[in-house]
Amino acid sequence: MKSGTYRVKAKGHGSSFMPMEVTIENDKVANITVDSAGETSGIADEVFKRLPKAIIDGQTLNVDAVSGASISSQGVIDGVAEAINEAGGDAEEWKKRDKPASSAAKDEEYDTDVVVIGAGGAGLAAATRSLQHDKKVVILEKFPQLGGNTARAGGPMNAAEPDWQKGFKALPGEKETLQELAETPTSEIDPEYVADFEKLRDQIKAYLDSGEDYLFDSVLLHEIQTYLGGKRVDLKGNEIHGKYELVTTLVNNVLDSVNWLTDLGVKFDRSDVTMPVGALWRRGHKPVEPMGFAFIHVLGDWVKQHGATVLTETRAKHLIIEGGKVTGVIAEKTDGSKVTVHAKSVILAAGGFGANTKMVQKYNTYWTEIADDIATTNSPAITGDGIALGQEAGAALTGMGFIQLMPVSDPVTGELFTGLQTPPENFIMVNQKGERFVNEFAERDTLAKAAIDNGGLFYLIADDKIKETAYNTTQESIDAQVEAGTLFRADTLEELAEKVGMDPAVLTDTIKKYNSYVDAGHDPEFGKSAFHLKCEVAPFYATPRKPAIHHTMGGLVIDTKGHVLDEEGHVIAGLYSAGENAGGLHAGNRLGGNSLADIFTFGRIAADTADEEPPASDAVSGASH
């Protein structure tokens, strides 16, 4: 091969392309440099550490993809293959070479205070808090890197902080939303929430009577919106709503979670208050670093620096149960070796089952159909492992039939951050004809149902000013999206309509009417709850979207302390759970931004509880196992 440095581009996660430099010397690949700036942080970081080293050490392209990042893995392999071919070599021959030799498998055994299963946000929060209590901690994560679904999250975390929110102006439509909520008959409110609802009604009246024009919020508003946003009835007529004790625990402790994360090093953007799709209210605390990886890298670094034993590529297979008490975990590494962890407390934080379509179809009672080929926003790791482990110990389940679809997902991959994603006050949802069909500010299930009724595929329409609020707005990123076909751009609305197969007259009329509603602060067609930007400054954009599996609402039954409960409501000694692994909080539909609030709050709580209690081996069990 001709020696030199070859510049190639490889397909990355989503629609991005990764520039790569491959240096070839003396018929060998001597160096591989990947510019992963366009990649979503935390999704494929392990790829860029592991694959170049494996290729160089083994002088082969017959290397294993990194679990959970197969697209980026293949991108690196394809990029090096392109460079080899450009240099006059034969990439196909390199792909047939022997795989790098792996080290011999060896069984391991650990004794610890706390073992945490799952290294997403809930697991890392529980591990961090346990370390703050001077506990020995082992973390088991079946994937090669930390992050779980949190690394794929948008980033805004719901927490009512009225003193801060008062610094922002109310948007047109928000006062009307409050007025409408206050007029809800108490007969429609479940008894345990009535007293709080009446206090909230008084708060809303005082705010509206004041004539002030700031963004109102309160802990009670967060509570009641979480409750009403999750109150649903399934196809069999079963009603579900959030357990009062869990909802109030969340809303009263989540601002402490924000402050706790801040103390650990997460930097929040205090200049803006935002909300993700389906959040119902602007109370999102958005990290400065883009998306959910902001939390993962701070917590992940913290646990490693403070002495946690972090075992990646290690899947928890079974709980160790002795005398009705959970006393550890049996796990398996990808090389087949066995890992045994003896622990005083086991915290299940392995997420839900949104990447396990068969399990979703098995439990679903909310959607008429979940298609075999439906996409998911989830990490491939999220397959229900933690729920199965809890059931081994006799844990009760709740709300398993309620599955949340994310309406604004990539039509092909299910990913959230292709195209232009922006808070819902700023985008316009149109169907394939170019017509609006829903209040863009509504809950996620409402949006998803409306999309399905309109054929599934729809478009988010926006103008150039959307770049002020969208999540991925570098010009390079936008250009790459357009080139990849995950975003459409045109200088006129008429041209944009033609590019996506709409009647130009229909789309231009839709946008004209929408702009007039923004001016009026009122949407007579669909009752959009809040407005900000109009759509009038070229160029114009259309992001194709389609609902995908996003969050599984059900899970293990827990109490406010994070204990896992059995069918009789008894505590299962030694076993705790937090985050999407647990159920009962979000009920039938989760508000956008409440997942991050949940995982960090209940992750902390589970660790605090484990610290306060005697080890399972010493405890007087209230369980029947």
Side-chain angles (χ1 to χ4, degrees):
M1 292 186 290
K2 182 181 177 182
S3 294
T5 297
Y6 295 84
R7 292 172 179 82
V8 295
K9 270 192 173 182
K11 179 79 170 69
H13 183 73
S15 61
S16 63
F17 288 85
M18 303 178 293
M20 294 174 56
E21 288 189 354
V22 181
T23 301
I24 292 174
E25 294 174 357
N26 301 321
D27 285 333
K28 291 186 175 181
V29 175
N31 190 51
I32 302 167
T33 304
V34 183
D35 179 0
S36 60
E39 289 285 85
T40 304
S41 297
I43 300 295
D45 295 2
E46 193 66 23
V47 171
F48 312 128
K49 294 178 194 170
R50 187 181 299 195
L51 284 198
K53 185 177 187 305
I55 291 168
I56 292 167
D57 288 352
Q59 291 299 304
T60 177
L61 290 179
N62 187 9
V63 293
D64 290 329
V66 175
S67 296
S70 56
I71 294 172
S72 299
S73 298
Q74 194 60 49
V76 171
I77 294 167
D78 290 345
V80 177
E82 184 182 339
I84 288 170
N85 286 335
E86 280 188 29
D90 181 0
E92 290 305 311
E93 184 271 327
W94 276 67
K95 290 176 183 178
K96 294 172 184 172
R97 293 182 179 185
D98 290 340
K99 284 191 175 187
S102 56
S103 54
K106 191 172 99 177
D107 291 349
E108 300 172 29
E109 192 158 354
Y110 296 86
D111 282 287
T112 191
D113 295 317
V114 177
V115 59
V116 178
I117 300 174
L124 290 178
T128 300
R129 192 68 180 148
S130 295
L131 288 164
Q132 289 180 326
H133 291 308
D134 296 322
K135 300 296 186 186
K136 284 173 58 183
V137 175
V138 173
I139 303 171
L140 305 179
E141 169 54 52
K142 74 177 181 183
F143 263 31
Q145 63 188 34
L146 312 185
N149 269 352
T150 308
R152 297 165 181 253
M157 174 178 170
N158 286 344
E161 189 177 355
D163 290 343
W164 171 58
Q165 289 163 282
K166 279 182 181 177
F168 301 93
K169 285 192 67 172
L171 291 178
E174 286 180 335
K175 288 188 176 182
E176 288 80 359
T177 299
L178 292 172
Q179 182 68 51
E180 187 177 330
L181 175 60
E183 291 171 356
T184 303
T186 52
S187 60
E188 296 180 12
I189 305 295
D190 286 277
E192 66 269 36
Y193 285 96
V194 167
D196 288 351
F197 175 70
E198 290 176 342
K199 291 176 191 172
L200 172 62
R201 198 159 51 186
D202 291 340
Q203 290 179 352
I204 291 173
K205 183 177 186 305
Y207 165 69
L208 295 177
D209 288 350
S210 75
E212 296 283 354
D213 200 32
Y214 60 81
L215 171 60
F216 168 84
D217 201 8
S218 71
V219 169
L220 287 175
L221 179 59
H222 190 189
E223 173 196 321
I224 296 300
Q225 286 182 322
T226 297
Y227 150 64
L228 291 175
K231 184 175 180 176
R232 294 293 185 269
V233 177
D234 70 6
L235 297 171
K236 299 179 179 179
N238 299 311
E239 189 271 349
I240 191 171
H241 60 267
K243 189 174 178 182
Y244 177 81
E245 293 81 3
L246 294 179
V247 173
T248 54
T249 297
L250 174 72
V251 299
N252 283 289
N253 288 280
V254 66
L255 187 57
D256 288 341
S257 297
V258 172
N259 295 330
W260 179 73
L261 288 163
T262 302
D263 290 343
L264 289 166
V266 176
K267 293 180 173 62
F268 288 95
D269 180 1
R270 306 292 291 180
S271 70
D272 186 30
V273 60
T274 188
M275 62 169 275
V277 175
L280 293 183
W281 206 249
R282 291 185 297 145
R283 58 173 65 95
H285 293 66
K286 182 174 68 174
V288 172
E289 188 176 358
M291 300 184 282
F293 186 65
F295 306 107
I296 295 302
H297 105 248
V298 168
L299 294 176
D301 290 350
W302 202 95
V303 297
K304 291 172 185 174
Q305 291 163 5
H306 289 79
T309 300
V310 181
L311 303 177
T312 55
E313 296 183 286
T314 306
R315 182 175 188 168
K317 302 284 283 186
H318 298 287
L319 297 179
I320 300 172
I321 305 171
E322 300 171 321
K325 309 174 187 79
V326 178
T327 59
V329 183
I330 303 294
E332 185 178 274
K333 296 185 91 61
T334 52
D335 62 11
S337 61
K338 179 181 176 183
V339 177
T340 304
V341 185
H342 303 284
K344 296 167 185 172
S345 305
V346 176
I347 300 177
L348 294 174
F353 51 99
N356 186 341
T357 305
K358 293 296 182 191
M359 189 171 175
V360 168
Q361 290 170 327
K362 172 187 172 183
Y363 282 107
N364 167 54
T365 58
Y366 193 57
W367 300 95
T368 305
E369 180 187 22
I370 299 288
D372 290 340
D373 62 351
I374 191 170
T376 180
T377 65
N378 285 243
S379 159
I382 311 301
T383 54
D385 296 29
I387 291 169
L389 289 167
Q391 287 181 289
E392 282 189 345
L397 303 179
T398 183
M400 293 291 285
F402 292 86
I403 311 297
Q404 182 172 85
L405 303 185
M406 171 57 82
V408 290
S409 304
D410 185 287
V412 178
T413 66
E415 294 173 54
L416 293 180
F417 298 106
T418 57
L420 283 174
Q421 283 281 36
T422 184
E425 68 264 23
N426 290 335
F427 61 61
I428 306 160
M429 294 172 65
V430 303
N431 60 21
Q432 294 164 59
K433 296 178 183 177
E435 301 166 335
R436 283 181 72 220
F437 58 92
V438 71
N439 166 15
E440 294 89 343
F441 226 66
E443 296 101 322
R444 288 173 174 176
D445 59 340
T446 301
L447 298 174
K449 284 180 177 178
I452 291 167
D453 290 344
N454 278 265
L457 179 69
F458 64 95
Y459 296 87
L460 306 180
I461 306 297
D463 72 357
D464 200 52
K465 290 182 73 176
I466 207 71
K467 291 188 288 189
E468 298 172 9
T469 61
Y471 297 121
N472 45 350
T473 56
T474 66
Q475 196 60 51
E476 184 181 30
S477 168
I478 290 172
D479 292 343
Q481 301 277 346
V482 172
E483 183 182 345
T486 55
L487 178 66
F488 296 91
R489 177 173 60 197
D491 290 329
T492 66
L493 285 169
E494 289 85 354
E495 182 187 350
L496 186 69
E498 289 172 357
K499 283 189 174 184
V500 295
M502 296 173 188
D503 182 339
V506 173
L507 180 62
T508 53
D509 181 61
T510 295
I511 301 305
K512 181 181 177 182
K513 286 191 288 190
Y514 180 86
N515 287 341
S516 74
Y517 303 157
V518 177
D519 286 333
H522 175 65
D523 173 11
E525 284 190 280
F526 298 100
K528 186 166 184 176
S529 315
F531 302 92
H532 185 199
L533 297 178
K534 292 196 286 187
C535 183
E536 56 188 0
V537 180
F540 299 94
Y541 298 95
T543 298
R545 300 282 91 176
K546 189 177 182 180
I549 296 170
H550 184 57
H551 193 94
T552 48
M553 311 305 301
L556 307 179
V557 175
I558 61 167
D559 63 15
T560 59
K561 295 289 190 179
H563 296 112
V564 177
L565 307 182
D566 67 12
E567 295 286 356
E568 286 76 44
H570 298 144
V571 168
I572 299 173
L575 190 62
Y576 309 84
S577 186
E580 197 176 353
N581 209 147
L585 170 61
H586 307 294
N589 173 69
R590 177 177 61 75
L591 299 188
N594 265 7
S595 179
L596 292 170
D598 170 14
I599 61 178
F600 297 124
T601 301
F602 279 94
R604 287 190 305 121
I605 287 171
D608 287 345
T609 305
D611 174 60
E612 293 163 3
E613 296 180 339
S617 55
D618 302 333
V620 178
S621 174
S624 56
H625 305 283

